[in-house]
Each structure stands twice: as C-alpha cells, then as structure tokens.
C-alpha cells in the first residue's frame, strides 16, 4: 500500500506540483504543547528546489506557530492529497527552517517563486524543508473535490499594507512574536522587503 522514496522527482514531483493545496504539521518539544496543522494554498507559492529540498512562502496571518516550532526544533511534515484523478497521499517528513526577509539567501530563494508578488500578500518568511523521509499511501478514503480558483481575499487584505503598517499589525497580535505556548515566533520589528523581491515601491 505505502511506498518510500529516496528523492522527490519524476511522477512524485509532478503530483506534488500539481496540487492546489497542501498541509503542514509541526509541534513543540513540550509534550503538553500545542500541535499545529495548517492548510497552504495560493498557486505558485510552493517550489521543489532540488530532489530533497522544497520551500513555500509564509504569508501574513494572525499566528506564527509553524515559524515558532521550526525555530525551536525544526521538525515538520508536509502532506498532499489527490482530490481528483487516481487516489494518492504524499508525505514529506523532514527538517524545516524559516528564512526571514533580512537573510542573505532571501533573494535567491525568491527566484523559485516568479509568479508571486510578495508585497501583495505580506510575505514574512520562506520555509525551506529538507526531506528525511518521503512516503506515499493509497488515499482511498479521500473524497473527490473540484478546484475552482484561489480566493482573492488574502491579497486584497494585505496588498494595502506597507512594511511599517504590516509590522504594526504583527505587533498587535498575541501570537506572532511568540507562539501560543510562549516560544519565540516571528522576529520583530519586521525587516523591509528587499527591493529585488517586490514590485511595489
């Protein structure tokens, strides 16, 4: 039923890149801590960097649990489900790292997301994941669902924010700079977007 893979390539890579949504799961080291599970969408915001490395864009929101957990322990699982075509579920278990706006790697990493305007979504980090285990399972119980289009609401909400107003928004939220369990989250104040990665002046 299930199969393990040594790398992300061929049909496995094609399947992952064709999905319109995936899920991320992280947790703190504290056994009583809050496990986080998040859906990720927006076409063009996920990229396969190489056979063992993937990355996705982490946009503005009211929490930063994934960032906090990765800063503490690095553990992360990504999951894709087939909602059309043959049934399939793919999981990538690995180690993740949030790359922030002031990181020297930012501009090069953004080159993997040519269709995304980071200023329109309040981009705050790029999550880079190195795969340690890659598996698929049958997915027989996953229902058929159709994709219509990406919701425009996130861009319409955050496109009006400047670097300063976005920082102020984050400062007001309880679980951006620190997680629900009190772990360090998104470093603030928010550095400005590098000019090479935004179309807005």
């Amino acid at each position: 039923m299930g199969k393990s893979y040594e790398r992300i390539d061929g049909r496995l890579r094609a399947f992952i890149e064709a999905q319109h949504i995936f899920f991320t799961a992280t947790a703190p080291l504290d056994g009583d801590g809050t496990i986080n599970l998040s859906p990720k969408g927006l076409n063009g915001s996920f990229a396969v960097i190489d056979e063992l490395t993937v990355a996705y864009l982490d946009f503005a929101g009211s929490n930063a649990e994934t960032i906090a957990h990765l800063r503490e322990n690095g553990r992360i699982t990504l999951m894709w489900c087939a909602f059309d075509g043959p049934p399939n579920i793919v999981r990538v278990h690995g180690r993740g790292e949030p790359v922030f706006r002031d990181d020297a790697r930012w501009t090069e990493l953004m080159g993997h997301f040519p269709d995304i305007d980071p200023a329109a979504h309040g981009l705050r980090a790029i999550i880079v994941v190195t795969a340690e285990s890659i598996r698929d399972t049958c997915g027989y119980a996953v229902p058929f669902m159709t994709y219509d289009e990406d919701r425009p609401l996130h861009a319409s909400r955050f496109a009006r924010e400047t670097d300063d107003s976005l920082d102020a928004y984050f400062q007001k939220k309880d679980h951006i700079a620190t997680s629900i369990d009190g772990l360090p989250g998104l470093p603030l104040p928010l550095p400005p977007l590098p000019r090479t990665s935004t179309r807005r002046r």
Side-chain angles (χ1 to χ4, degrees):
M1 298 285 284
K3 182 179 178 181
S4 296
Y5 299 84
E6 293 184 357
R7 60 186 61 86
I8 302 169
D9 61 3
R11 286 184 294 177
L12 183 68
R13 175 171 180 168
F15 170 78
I16 288 174
E17 293 180 329
Q19 305 313 305
H20 298 287
I21 185 172
F22 65 98
F23 302 87
T24 70
T26 58
L29 293 177
D30 184 347
D32 293 324
T34 304
I35 298 170
N36 188 65
L37 176 64
S38 296
K40 302 296 180 181
L42 189 60
N43 286 323
S45 64
F46 173 84
V48 177
I49 306 298
D50 59 40
E51 293 178 337
L52 290 175
T53 311
V54 300
Y56 69 88
L57 302 181
D58 183 80
F59 298 114
S62 56
N63 291 285
E65 297 301 297
T66 300
I67 287 175
H69 295 162
L70 293 182
R71 291 184 68 187
E72 185 204 36
N73 61 68
R75 300 177 303 170
I76 188 169
T77 297
L78 310 181
M79 184 183 76
W80 296 261
C81 299
F83 294 110
D84 58 12
N88 195 18
I89 299 172
V90 172
R91 292 179 178 87
V92 171
H93 307 271
R95 295 284 166 174
E97 176 190 8
V99 174
F100 300 116
R101 291 173 166 206
D102 55 356
D103 192 294
R105 297 168 291 174
W106 179 275
T107 299
E108 181 180 355
L109 285 169
M110 278 304 302
H112 293 281
F113 308 95
D115 297 327
I116 299 294
D117 177 1
H121 294 277
L123 180 59
R124 59 190 185 182
I126 304 169
I127 306 299
V128 179
V129 178
T130 301
E132 295 180 336
S133 173
I134 307 162
R135 290 185 53 80
D136 69 1
T137 50
C138 66
Y140 289 168
V142 175
F144 284 112
M145 291 190 286
T146 59
Y147 167 80
D148 294 326
E149 61 183 1
D150 286 345
R151 294 179 188 265
L153 296 175
H154 194 275
S156 65
R157 164 61 184 87
F158 288 101
R160 63 178 181 264
E161 301 286 357
T162 65
D163 290 333
D164 290 339
S165 66
L166 190 62
D167 178 69
Y169 169 83
F170 289 150
Q171 299 276 5
K172 293 177 183 176
K173 297 295 181 180
D174 291 335
H175 301 303
I176 295 290
T178 58
S179 75
I180 293 171
D181 301 311
L183 296 173
L186 183 71
L188 296 175
L190 185 72
L193 273 174
R195 290 192 177 187
T196 54
S197 61
T198 178
R199 302 181 191 122
R200 193 175 64 182
R201 299 291 180 176

